[in-house]
Amino acid sequence: MSRSVKMFTISVCVGSSCHLKGAYEIIKTCQELIEKHQLEGKVELKGTFCCGKCSEQGVTVIINGETLSGVLPSNFEEVFQEKVLKEIQNERH
């Protein structure tokens, strides 16, 4: 029996506030990480409009329904490692 592969959905807010805080830089980094780790077909990257967290620090990123605030271009790779790569590794074991 083959196991179904869990699809990860990453939505990055591209509303004006998040845009100014580095949303497009986060999207670019995410695209690079998906390629680097050969996750095409396992990770869907989308832009989303305002998530209502404009007053919080950083960009709002939603990973599989979990809303994360305070994501910055400087810490996105760490977030990706924790929320995506770690989960994928756990599925393989």
Side-chain angles (χ1 to χ4, degrees):
M1 254 171 111
S2 65
R3 269 204 269 172
S4 63
V5 177
K6 180 178 179 181
M7 186 73 170
F8 285 82
T9 301
I10 300 174
S11 300
V12 179
C13 180
V14 293
S16 43
S17 180
C18 286
H19 169 75
L20 294 172
K21 296 175 191 174
Y24 287 97
E25 196 174 332
I26 288 172
I27 290 170
K28 183 175 184 266
T29 300
C30 189
Q31 290 170 326
E32 291 167 358
L33 290 169
I34 289 168
E35 280 184 40
K36 176 182 174 182
H37 296 284
Q38 300 173 337
L39 297 175
E40 298 88 347
K42 292 181 184 168
V43 178
E44 178 185 30
L45 175 61
K46 303 192 301 188
T48 185
F49 290 104
C50 188
C51 298
K53 307 270 186 195
C54 304
S55 63
E56 296 187 28
Q57 182 184 23
V59 176
T60 301
V61 177
I62 303 167
I63 301 178
N64 284 349
E66 180 184 356
T67 302
L68 308 168
S69 297
V71 179
L72 303 169
S74 61
N75 71 6
F76 178 74
E77 192 163 349
E78 185 180 317
V79 170
F80 189 88
Q81 174 73 35
E82 185 68 27
K83 300 291 183 179
V84 178
L85 292 179
K86 200 175 204 180
E87 287 294 319
I88 288 172
Q89 288 169 350
N90 287 340
E91 279 185 2
R92 292 180 181 158
H93 298 301

